[in-house]
Amino acid sequence: RLDRLPAVSGFVGGDHDVGGVRDQVLQVAGQVSEALSVLVEEPKRAVVVFSSNFTTELFLGMAMWFSVTAIGEQISLGASLAVVVGAVMLGGLAPTPGGVGVQEAVLAAGLVGVGVSPNDATAAAIIYRVVTFALPPTWGAASLGWLRRNDYV
């Protein structure tokens, strides 16, 4: 069981158990374990989950590559993927919704790290975030409106 691991039991047990934190952590850990067991029991689901995530990251990397190319700079698709994946990982740690602000800074810094000038890196990061973060809700709202007008929702 998870609560028998020294790191987990030391964190959620004893004096550190404030307001039922131990029970909450163990409940979430049980849910995660149950969800992961489905992937182990059904390998096809695991393939779907991982391939769809890979495809999403590939498309996001391509969007960054197009953003950089649009401003006249050149980087490889691999460098673009590395910048985007790194920014997603670091931006997820930020206590802001969607990593706003932090994500753009990390993207720009990553682009500078792969050889894009600072001004062009900032421009590419903003273009990328507008295309992948700001515009999709607009298209979603328009789609939802159409679905409601046609009684699909």
Side-chain angles (χ1 to χ4, degrees), residues 82-108 128-129 133:
V83 168
V84 169
V85 170
V88 167
M89 288 176 13
L90 291 174
L93 298 174
T96 60
V100 174
V102 174
Q103 189 95 358
E104 291 81 1
V106 173
L107 286 167
Y128 168 81
R129 286 291 280 176
F133 185 76

Side-chain angles (χ1 to χ4, degrees), residues 97-151:
V100 174
V102 174
Q103 189 95 358
E104 291 81 1
V106 173
L107 286 167
L111 289 173
V112 169
V114 296
V116 178
S117 70
N119 290 338
D120 289 343
T122 303
I126 292 171
I127 291 169
Y128 168 81
R129 286 291 280 176
V130 165
V131 169
T132 61
F133 185 76
L135 290 180
T138 306
W139 304 324
S143 298
L144 181 60
W146 183 87
L147 289 169
R148 285 184 176 163
R149 280 192 305 279
N150 292 293
D151 293 325

